[in-house]
Amino acid sequence: MPETPAAATPPAAPRRRALLLGTAAGAAAGLAPGTARSAARSASRSADGRRVAVIGAGVGGLTVAHELAERGFAVTVYERRAVPGGKARSLYVPHTGTGGRRDLPGEHGHRGVFGFYHNLPDTLRRIPLPGGRSVHSRLTPVRWVEFARVPGRPDLPVPVARWAPPSLSDANLLIASLAGLLQEGVRLPPWEALFFAKQAVMLLTSCTERRFGQWEYVRWWDFIRADGMSEDYQKFLGGGVQLLQALRAPVASTRTCGQGMESILYDLAGRGSDAGGPFDRVFDAPTSEAWLDPWAAHLRSLGVRFAFGRTVERLDLRGGRIASATARTAHGTTERIDADWFVVALPADRAVGLWSPALRSADPRLAAMDGLRHTWCSGIQYYLREQAPGIRGHVVHVDSAWKLASIAQSRVWSAPLAGTWGDGRVRESLSVVISEWDTPGILYGKPARRCTRAEVAREVWAQMKAHLADHAPLDDALLETWNLDEAITEDGGGLRDDDPFLMNTAGSWDLRPEATTAVGNLFLAADHVRTYSNIDFASMETANEAGRRAAGAILAAAGGTGGGGTAEVRTFRGYEAPEFAAARALDRQRWRQGLRHVLDVG
């Protein structure tokens, strides 16, 4: 795909309203408690104004560190946990590994690397493995998506294959092709399929100005007229099926949902895919083992230092720049962080805690982040004594109250589960994402957030059994144990989530900051930062792009040359079908004249 320098400031997107002004010690922690400041200062004395403090070791923070370390910067990454990766890290069940096997692995969610991702795969290719391979080689395709239904409603097994539309230049043929795909694949009534296809083509042919100026402020649910449609239409197209956790149709922006739909359609049509690769890929092992641990090792080889067990509590603003930061260690002591450049690579809900009144005054865009909304989306794993029968890929539990999606990991991991993890009895890890925490379940009649952890485990198991009863029944006797995301903890009469998920909402683009700020040496790198490639909803891809943009901006501010690599930090542009260029040009004219899109009819 074409590439652009991340150091360049992206053009301001048009819009119709103004922008709202664990204990870590010793070598395992990267730096021992009390040595972070001295080690960082020692390493940076020769850095000649290139000391960088990265706050947060998630995908965005590690990406910044990677790009800048390759260019000769002295980078130290500060992280409150004892391991890198943020939400992408693997979660292990303590004391479950015996006989030389590792502890049973869990995940916060599914680590899908879609074909329309480009920034993240580029990074994966640049993380070396022994034998001349890269981490990218540890991706394996998922070739089936099963839409499982409760008894009485037919399941829909869908092979993830290329879709060949008859034409992209003829809108009528494209609408008919999309409608036919929905009728055949999802079994919607023809009039509903035709209406949705028409709305989809309207988005594909909308100009950039209309997307940001109109569709950004329309909820997807309203755009597709879900209120007046069938239950299956609402479930499959209106958010009942939670395929992308960051997008919830009742509140999500039509622009962002349309952007995701466009990327999926182009990818399925064989256009704009990463190196022509498959649509859906996952790692062939737990995420930390396949990706994050090799990444951290590679960053250390580039000179990056990690200070784990550090929670940054304050940024000190002096003279329009960040003079220093203050971190609290796992032992309760405080440390001062000195650097030339500071990157806040924290989730939005944690980043706002660092915005002092002085910082909010210096850059009102930071204060606007208070309006961003978050949701719960966490993983639970069921460890079985036998492989889950009849499960070939991702399973979407269409009628589940808690919007479940699962995958049998023994079928995608390269190492045998029983011989590698646990006590030798576990042969399957059935990994499930829970995307809805506010709807009552079928066992206890309570929403997930009002349950205990054990009740969540029993409820999710029951909802899955109800969906798999016809073709892949789950036997209670096979269940060895389970593990719910450690971020979900019991709190009095309910649960709390230490790792909430950024939720896209209509109009939220106005609340999201750029990678650069009005403070000259402060930058942002996380999935809430504005990104300009092919998608901008919260994901590993957008976190990676945000990290690239922050690194590029630091490189430009520091003089534009890198001592250890090329000067340019590249980002990858999303695919645009040339057949739609004329239609988008026409729509741009209509937008400027105050007219509706030509397909914007009842």
Coordinates of all heavy atoms in Angstrom, one line a residue, residues 14 66 72 74 78 104 137 220 284 296 403 411 423 426 434 444 466 504 545 558:
P14 N -12.6 17.7 7.9 CA -13.7 18.6 8.0 C -14.8 18.1 8.9 O -15.1 16.9 8.9 CB -14.2 18.7 6.5 CG -13.8 17.5 5.9 CD -12.5 17.1 6.6
H66 N 10.0 1.1 19.5 CA 10.6 0.4 18.4 C 11.1 1.4 17.4 O 12.3 1.4 16.9 CB 9.6 -0.5 17.8 CG 10.2 -1.5 16.9 ND1 9.5 -2.7 16.5 CD2 11.3 -1.5 16.1 CE1 10.3 -3.4 15.7 NE2 11.3 -2.7 15.4
G72 N 18.2 5.7 16.9 CA 19.2 6.2 17.8 C 18.8 7.0 19.0 O 19.6 7.6 19.7
A74 N 17.4 7.4 22.9 CA 17.6 6.6 24.2 C 16.2 6.6 24.8 O 15.7 7.6 25.3 CB 18.6 7.4 25.1
Y78 N 8.1 3.1 30.8 CA 7.6 2.9 32.2 C 6.2 2.3 32.2 O 5.3 2.7 31.4 CB 7.5 4.3 32.8 CG 8.9 5.0 32.9 CD1 9.4 5.7 31.9 CD2 9.6 4.9 34.1 CE1 10.6 6.3 31.9 CE2 10.9 5.5 34.1 CZ 11.4 6.2 33.1 OH 12.6 6.8 33.1
L104 N -1.2 -22.5 32.5 CA -2.2 -22.4 31.5 C -2.4 -20.9 31.0 O -2.4 -20.0 31.9 CB -3.6 -22.9 32.0 CG -3.7 -24.4 32.2 CD1 -5.0 -24.7 33.0 CD2 -3.7 -25.1 30.9
S137 N 5.6 -14.5 10.9 CA 5.5 -15.9 10.4 C 4.7 -16.8 11.4 O 4.3 -17.9 11.1 CB 6.8 -16.5 10.3 OG 7.5 -16.7 11.5
W220 N -25.0 4.5 13.8 CA -25.1 3.4 12.8 C -26.5 2.8 12.9 O -27.1 2.5 11.9 CB -24.1 2.4 13.1 CG -24.1 1.2 12.2 CD1 -24.5 -0.1 12.5 CD2 -23.7 1.1 10.8 NE1 -24.4 -0.9 11.5 CE2 -23.9 -0.2 10.4 CE3 -23.2 2.1 9.9 CZ2 -23.6 -0.6 9.1 CZ3 -22.9 1.6 8.6 CH2 -23.1 0.3 8.2
D284 N -0.2 -18.3 16.5 CA -0.2 -19.8 16.7 C 0.3 -20.2 18.1 O 0.7 -21.3 18.3 CB 0.7 -20.4 15.6 CG 2.2 -20.1 15.8 OD1 2.5 -19.3 16.7 OD2 3.0 -20.7 15.0
A296 N 9.8 -7.5 23.1 CA 10.5 -6.9 24.2 C 12.0 -7.2 24.1 O 12.9 -6.3 24.4 CB 9.9 -7.3 25.5
K403 N -23.5 -11.4 24.0 CA -22.7 -11.2 22.8 C -21.4 -11.9 22.8 O -20.3 -11.2 22.7 CB -22.6 -9.7 22.5 CG -23.9 -9.0 22.3 CD -23.7 -7.5 22.0 CE -25.0 -6.8 21.8 NZ -24.9 -5.3 21.6
R411 N -6.8 -25.7 17.9 CA -6.8 -25.9 16.5 C -6.0 -24.9 15.7 O -5.8 -25.0 14.5 CB -8.3 -25.9 16.0 CG -9.1 -27.0 16.6 CD -10.5 -27.0 16.1 NE -11.3 -28.0 16.8 CZ -11.5 -29.2 16.3 NH1 -10.9 -29.6 15.2 NH2 -12.2 -30.1 17.0
D423 N -1.2 -29.2 33.4 CA -0.7 -30.4 34.1 C -0.8 -31.7 33.2 O -0.6 -32.8 33.7 CB -1.5 -30.7 35.4 CG -3.0 -30.8 35.1 OD1 -3.4 -30.9 33.9 OD2 -3.8 -31.0 36.1
V426 N -5.2 -31.0 30.3 CA -5.9 -30.1 29.5 C -5.5 -30.1 28.0 O -4.3 -30.0 27.7 CB -5.7 -28.6 30.0 CG1 -6.4 -27.6 29.1 CG2 -6.3 -28.5 31.4
I434 N -16.5 -11.7 26.0 CA -17.8 -11.2 26.5 C -17.8 -9.7 26.2 O -17.1 -8.9 26.7 CB -17.9 -11.4 28.1 CG1 -17.5 -12.9 28.5 CG2 -19.3 -11.0 28.5 CD1 -17.4 -13.0 30.0
Y444 N -29.1 -16.5 35.8 CA -29.3 -15.8 37.1 C -30.2 -14.6 36.9 O -30.5 -13.9 37.9 CB -27.9 -15.4 37.7 CG -27.0 -16.5 38.0 CD1 -26.0 -16.8 37.2 CD2 -27.3 -17.3 39.1 CE1 -25.1 -17.9 37.5 CE2 -26.5 -18.4 39.4 CZ -25.4 -18.7 38.6 OH -24.6 -19.8 38.9
A466 N -26.0 -23.6 24.9 CA -27.3 -23.4 24.2 C -27.1 -23.2 22.7 O -28.0 -23.6 21.9 CB -28.1 -22.2 24.8
N504 N -16.3 3.7 20.6 CA -16.6 4.7 19.5 C -18.1 5.1 19.7 O -19.0 4.3 19.8 CB -16.4 4.1 18.2 CG -16.8 5.1 17.1 OD1 -18.0 5.1 16.7 ND2 -15.9 5.9 16.6
E545 N -0.5 2.5 14.7 CA -0.4 3.7 13.9 C -0.2 4.9 14.7 O 0.6 5.8 14.4 CB -1.7 3.8 13.0 CG -1.6 5.1 12.1 CD -2.8 5.4 11.3 OE1 -3.7 4.5 11.1 OE2 -3.0 6.5 10.9
A558 N 12.9 16.7 16.7 CA 14.3 16.6 17.1 C 15.3 16.9 16.0 O 16.5 16.8 16.2 CB 14.5 15.2 17.7

